[in-house]
Amino acid sequence: MNSVFEEAVIRQQFEQRGINLKLISLIWKYLAVHENVEAYEVPGLSKAACDVLRTNFKSTTSTVKATVKSADQSTTKLLIQLQNGSFVETVIMSYDSRLGTYAGRQRPGGPRATLCVSSQVGCKMGCTFCATGSMGFKSNLSAGEIVEQLVHASRLLQIRNVVFMGMGEPLNNYNSVVEAIRSMTGQCFQIAPRHITISTVGVIPRINSLKYDLPNVNLAVSLHAPLQEVRCQIMPAARAYPLRKLMDTLRSYQEHCKRKIFIEYIMLDGINDQEDQAHQLGTLLEEREVVVNLIPFNPIGSISKFSSSTKENIELFQKVLRNVYNIRTTVRQEMGQDISGACGQLLVKFSGENSINMEYGRQSEGIPDIEDLSL
Ligand code: SAH
Ligand code: SF4
């Protein structure tokens, strides 16, 4: 069965039968708030639409198997089972400036929530600090399965931002990610493209396509090192996508899109966090329109030998980038630590058919509303 949120499929089937395509948005809107309803039960459908929905479509193909909320209520983690039996995780980070501050800072604009979605089960890029990378690649999510993460989350909270920072490398599942984003920004969910961020390890050919396909969506690049050599040590994909070529690609991306790029930089003790490396990074980025987000490393158990940089090193690194190179630099804050609400950190293991044994990093972090940095 297809998901009703598999837009290309439902459009094609409706078109074939001469069914009004506007019904798709009506169906989606209804299902985004009503759980346990099949698509053909949505009120106001024609008989032809009901028939095709009953025989070919499920309202959702994925199921929420567990929901965990942090004690401070800021982070909700959904464990989602896909139709093929695999599990992925979706994390909702919410805050309300009217209720006080978030991460010590006053936030403008009232309640809002950011959803961190997964695009793949596992990942083939093999970054040495990443739990998902240690799983290897298992499968790609379909566009519908990506959109369904938003559907499940929307039933709990109104989502304002979507970040592709969960499991997987979104640009290795390009077509589904682009299609899912088109659905998310459409009539039903109306997420603004500038409130969507794709995070990538730097898949050069796909960044080149993205600037034409989705020019208004934010791009975050996991740079993690200012030199090719160090980058290769911690990220095997850097060999295929060398730093210099990546920087050239980002330049032409920016010439086309006229948007600032978010640079993610994981802080690994003694590997990429030294003062001279802050200067190298500053030199690399000083002429560019970027915001650097320093990410304290989340330990991932025995999989990785790294440890996080000290608070002092992170502060010094930030100071160098800010004061010497005038680069906007933030440090990623932690949210929902008690439930391991980490994005991109997760490793789901199964032992036995019914027992789910999840291993996460000891510590975890959420992603602050990254789009707010661009406002
Ligand atoms: N594949 C994409 C998006 C998913 S990972 C990418 O790599 O950009 C989302 C972010 O989490 C990336 O910046 C990634 O480098 C970071 N990350 C991975 N493992 C981490 C860890 N153990 N601690 C902190 N950040 C981590
Ligand atoms: Fe894949 Fe991103 Fe993890 Fe690297 S950091 S292994 S690209 S999910």
Side-chain angles (χ1 to χ4, degrees), residues 265-331:
Y265 195 98
I266 192 167
M267 296 298 289
L268 302 171
D269 188 37
I271 306 285
N272 64 353
D273 67 339
Q274 303 298 297
E275 197 176 342
D276 60 329
Q277 289 164 316
H279 285 283
Q280 288 160 355
L281 185 65
T283 310
L284 187 71
L285 299 175
E286 81 184 316
E287 300 297 322
R288 313 253 180 159
E289 273 289 305
V290 294
V291 177
V292 174
N293 195 210
L294 302 177
I295 311 175
F297 167 68
N298 283 310
I300 50 171
S302 55
I303 303 165
S304 169
K305 55 188 183 310
F306 299 118
S307 42
S308 184
S309 308
T310 60
K311 206 165 168 268
E312 292 71 40
N313 275 2
I314 297 177
E315 275 169 14
L316 179 61
F317 209 90
Q318 183 183 28
K319 226 183 238 165
V320 170
L321 292 174
R322 274 184 173 171
N323 299 350
V324 184
Y325 299 93
N326 203 18
I327 296 171
R328 213 163 158 194
T329 309
T330 58
V331 179

Side-chain angles (χ1 to χ4, degrees), residues 122-127 129-134 166-169 201 222 224 344:
C123 178
K124 74 166 185 184
M125 296 316 218
C127 301
F129 45 78
C130 173
T132 308
S134 76
M167 287 171 84
E169 168 49 54
V201 75
S222 297
H224 300 329

Side-chain angles (χ1 to χ4, degrees), residues 31-36 59-60 150-157:
L31 294 177
V33 275
H34 296 88
E35 236 171 303
N36 305 321
S59 60
T60 48
L150 176 59
V151 175
H152 293 305
S154 298
R155 288 172 180 161
L156 302 175
L157 263 178

